[in-house]
Amino acid sequence: LGSCQINVEIDSSEEVSCGPSITGFHFVDADGKPLVEIGGLRNGQMVEANLLPRGSSIAVSYQTNFIPGAVKYESQGALDIHQVNAPFPMAGYNFDKAGIYSIKAHAFNDDAFSQILNTCAITFEIVDTIHNTNFPAIESTIQNHGKNRLRSTTKTPTTNSPTAPVAVPTEMPTDFDRRFGDDVRHINCDFASLDSDMPLSDVEQTDKLERDCSLAISGAYADGTGSRKIDVFDSGNVLYGKYDLGSPHVSCGGHVFVNGTGGDASGPYPNCDAQGNVLHLAEQAEDNGGCMFIDFGDPVKLNGLGVLNAIGTEPVKISIISGDGETLVVANPEYTDRNSLWKVEETNPKMKMKGVILVSVCFSAPSRSALSYIDFYHETEHDEFTQSKDLEAEEEDLISAAQLAEAEDAFPWCGRHLTGFSLVDSSGIALSGHESLSFGHLVKGMDLPDDVALAPKTDDSVGSVRFFLPSGEEVVSSPPFTLSNASWLRELPTGPLTIRADAFAKKERDGAFLGSCEVNLEIESSHDLVCGGGVDGFHLIDRKGQKLSQHDHLKYGQTVRGRSLPFGTDLGIQTGPEVAAVMFQVAGERDVYQTNLPFQLNSKRFHQRGTYAVKAHTYGSSDFATLLGTCEFLIRII
């Protein structure tokens, strides 16, 4: 009958209770002025990083009749900071990175730090954004999901490329499969009926969009706040300064100025089909990104979506949300360029989801990229309206749910003629543990034989396989179609690697496209750590300083799955009795000095995905005067 969603922020913070001198904490700017937008800090409070201008710091609050003579700040892993001048900011300590901060402030009676008047402590967290969701401010964009009447769907559907990968059909019916009635309608929303000289917010425009496409589209800023104007642009009538939003490309017979390298007919994302009207967020003086929200009336089966001029250096993020709460997030390929036409269904076949209620398309350069089309299947409503004479001419567009399933089964997909991948040796025998590669499969490069190869799993109808690698394409024309050149594994830096394979029929069968599979590998090239200077190794520890048993002796370059780590996981170092102090260095962060066991980085960020390069200097004295040695360490959290 419908679907609703809500996002609730649980605030477990509490007032700081201190006194008689220091009464609490607040943020100040570089000039020492309080940041009134944040106000007084609460213990456990989350603070958004974008609210803190460069040079922001913490300062204590105090009673005007009990002003301290000096303040000393302590924070584990950092040098103590002494202040003798009001407002006593914690100067020199940066709060520009996300993380949890614990601070203790001591108030003294004079500037000689003679006697402590009182001590006050606080713990707070700097976060990138308060809303911990994959899509910005979704609660402000969802509309009532009642039935939308469908008035016209006579537009010509977009034709998929013969080499385009398409979605894997669902093996078993889901809850949303059963919501579709006996009849479904194919809708290709290409904005052809909209007026290019009027904004989308115009009442007449929104009525046309609802009538022709049975959906609503709204614009917002990147953080989900406010609303942004959406313009309708005729890509066939190019204007000065908007040539990259023109269509088709000059190589396909378009305007001479529509010549961006990404849209060329010979490229991977050709802009050869005239796109007509497209939607883009209106230009504004300071543009830090924005989003379009596509709200469907009822759950639909998403079939395709196009973005014009998606540039790899200006990311476009698409979030596809189903009524079951499932969210798929995809980003434009790295190699898209000016004037390219990115057909999302071709690079991300998993986007063909059922039960979709909302799609958000977020642009880092909103006025430069445009939404070109939306293609989906929508249930038909059986009432007097759909039986009217206005729809009699459209009955030929209706297909039954059974016919849809039959047509979907006829599509080439991953799991029909091409079913997956494995790692094999030179004899074609699958390596133990790598017989069937899953998405995100962990590959330890150091443990593989030199003759390792990637083998697609195919049936007898396949005559050739085209591999798509970060370094380019490679075609293998004879079974078992192994990608025997191991340079794709050996020469790439440690990190995720995505490989796509397209299968084609034998030439005597016209060489037809048979399907496409994609695999994502996590490459690890770890090795045993050998260091001097009293360092015996590194390990992960929890918030209580206890070693995590599965990670008590880490290798250099080791990969660890983040979901297995508790919040607050930290990196510790095992040292000999001769080590009295350790200084940790991490690129982009403040140096950390430790003189007490257990020596730890005190970062509290090792539950987050990323690559951490750490340099540890060991000293024979607590004053850091006698350097014993330096040890470099690398760990990847995936």
Side-chain angles (χ1 to χ4, degrees), residues 30 34 113 172 215 234 322 365 411 414 416 434 465 479 489 503 581:
F113 298 90
M172 297 295 291
L215 53 79
D234 181 2
S322 76
F411 290 160
C414 182
R416 196 174 187 82
H434 306 291
V465 175
L489 174 64

Side-chain angles (χ1 to χ4, degrees), residues 87-235:
F88 308 106
M90 194 174 175
Y93 198 95
N94 294 326
F95 294 94
D96 57 349
K97 293 186 179 297
I100 298 175
Y101 297 84
S102 294
I103 296 171
K104 187 179 291 185
H106 307 280
F108 288 83
N109 63 330
D110 55 32
D111 58 9
F113 298 90
S114 304
Q115 181 181 349
I116 293 180
L117 301 176
N118 78 305
T119 297
C120 195
I122 190 172
T123 297
F124 59 93
E125 183 175 6
I126 305 294
V127 296
D128 292 328
T129 177
I130 293 294
H131 294 285
N132 187 24
T133 59
N134 289 328
F135 42 91
I138 191 69
E139 65 277 12
S140 66
T141 62
I142 291 183
Q143 301 177 1
N144 292 330
H145 294 141
K147 294 282 188 180
N148 276 353
R149 292 178 170 178
L150 227 53
R151 292 174 169 81
S152 173
T153 55
T154 57
K155 300 183 182 183
T156 304
T158 300
T159 302
N160 286 336
S161 163
T163 60
V166 295
V168 179
T170 307
E171 295 182 2
M172 297 295 291
T174 65
D175 232 11
F176 276 100
D177 297 332
R178 300 186 186 98
R179 293 190 192 182
F180 283 87
D182 295 331
D183 293 322
V184 291
R185 185 184 298 275
H186 178 223
I187 301 177
N188 181 257
C189 184
D190 60 4
F191 318 120
S193 63
L194 300 181
D195 297 320
S196 59
D197 57 348
M198 297 175 63
L200 189 63
S201 56
D202 182 86
V203 174
E204 185 177 348
Q205 297 276 68
T206 56
D207 285 347
K208 289 179 180 179
L209 189 63
E210 180 184 356
R211 181 195 68 200
D212 293 345
C213 299
S214 192
L215 53 79
I217 300 179
S218 58
Y221 289 92
D223 60 0
T225 61
S227 61
R228 288 200 57 169
K229 177 186 173 185
I230 298 177
D231 285 338
V232 182
F233 178 73
D234 181 2
S235 63

Side-chain angles (χ1 to χ4, degrees), residues 164-166 268-269 330-333 336 342-351 498 500 518:
V166 295
Y269 308 102
V330 299
N332 58 306
T336 50
W342 174 35
K343 297 179 179 180
V344 183
E345 65 273 18
E346 295 187 4
T347 61
N348 301 84
K350 291 184 179 180
M351 64 86 68
T498 299
R500 187 181 111 198
E518 189 175 274

Side-chain angles (χ1 to χ4, degrees), residues 277-298:
N277 285 344
V278 297
L279 306 183
H280 71 89
L281 294 169
E283 296 183 54
Q284 54 185 44
E286 294 185 6
D287 207 350
N288 297 319
C291 300
M292 291 186 198
F293 296 96
I294 306 165
D295 196 342
F296 303 94
D298 285 321

Side-chain angles (χ1 to χ4, degrees), residues 570-588:
D570 197 10
L571 182 70
I573 186 172
Q574 187 71 32
T575 59
E578 68 273 28
V579 177
V582 176
M583 181 183 77
F584 293 95
Q585 289 182 316
V586 180

Side-chain angles (χ1 to χ4, degrees), residues 536-554 564-566 569-575 597-600:
D536 297 329
F538 289 84
H539 51 265
L540 295 180
I541 57 178
D542 61 20
R543 286 182 292 177
K544 298 180 180 179
Q546 301 296 315
K547 289 184 183 179
L548 301 180
S549 58
Q550 295 181 335
H551 308 293
D552 58 354
H553 192 76
L554 298 172
S564 67
L565 303 178
T569 296
D570 197 10
L571 182 70
I573 186 172
Q574 187 71 32
T575 59
L597 291 172
F599 301 124
Q600 62 190 68

